[in-house]
Amino acid sequence: MICNKCGERVPDESRYCMYCGSRVNKIQYYNDDNTSLKSYYRDIDIGPSDPKSKTTAGLLGVFLGAFGIHRFYLGYTGIGIAQIVVSVLTCIIGGAIWGFIEGLCILCDTAITTDSEGNDLV
């Protein structure tokens, strides 16, 4: 597969070019003499999804972390449900502490730095 931004060859299973870092959404196959065999666009990778805000995720964690709202915002629904369960079992105290700490870690860039699709938080 060839990166459509920089033109370098990247492995077929790659989602990002290892040379320029751009998201690869067009697959082009070439012969050894660089004549194109075929090309098509991946249905699921036509452009990146909207980037999630680090500030929004962090503030949701600090203020509504007991309910896992920041995890749902980032697409981590399983952990969001786990935070709700912990909050119910500990009368909100355990979930609130967990969410508050995660919110601070998101704001300080020390823990969660990507959403569930692997996109960096902006």
Side-chain angles (χ1 to χ4, degrees):
M1 175 169 60
I2 304 295
C3 174
N4 33 324
K5 187 170 186 178
C6 70
E8 293 290 334
R9 289 184 183 262
V10 293
D12 290 343
E13 63 275 359
S14 296
R15 295 179 78 186
Y16 295 92
C17 176
M18 61 187 136
Y19 299 100
C20 69
S22 68
R23 190 173 176 100
V24 179
N25 59 7
K26 184 177 183 183
I27 299 175
Q28 263 183 308
Y29 292 100
Y30 287 89
N31 286 330
D32 290 333
D33 60 351
N34 279 342
T35 58
S36 180
L37 289 175
K38 61 181 176 178
S39 65
Y40 62 92
Y41 286 93
R42 293 189 215 184
D43 291 336
I44 57 170
D45 287 333
I46 303 290
S49 61
D50 293 334
K52 305 288 185 188
S53 169
K54 175 175 59 172
T55 306
T56 302
L59 292 176
L60 285 172
V62 169
F63 294 110
L64 298 172
F67 307 107
I69 302 298
H70 62 296
R71 289 298 196 150
F72 288 111
Y73 172 72
L74 294 175
Y76 297 106
T77 55
I79 298 174
I81 292 170
Q83 285 185 296
I84 292 172
V85 170
V86 167
S87 292
V88 168
L89 294 176
T90 62
C91 298
I92 301 193
I93 294 172
I97 293 171
W98 182 7
F100 182 78
I101 291 172
E102 277 189 344
L104 291 178
C105 289
I106 291 170
L107 290 172
C108 296
D109 260 349
T110 57
I112 306 165
T113 58
T114 61
D115 64 6
S116 64
E117 296 177 358
N119 300 320
D120 290 330
L121 301 178
V122 293

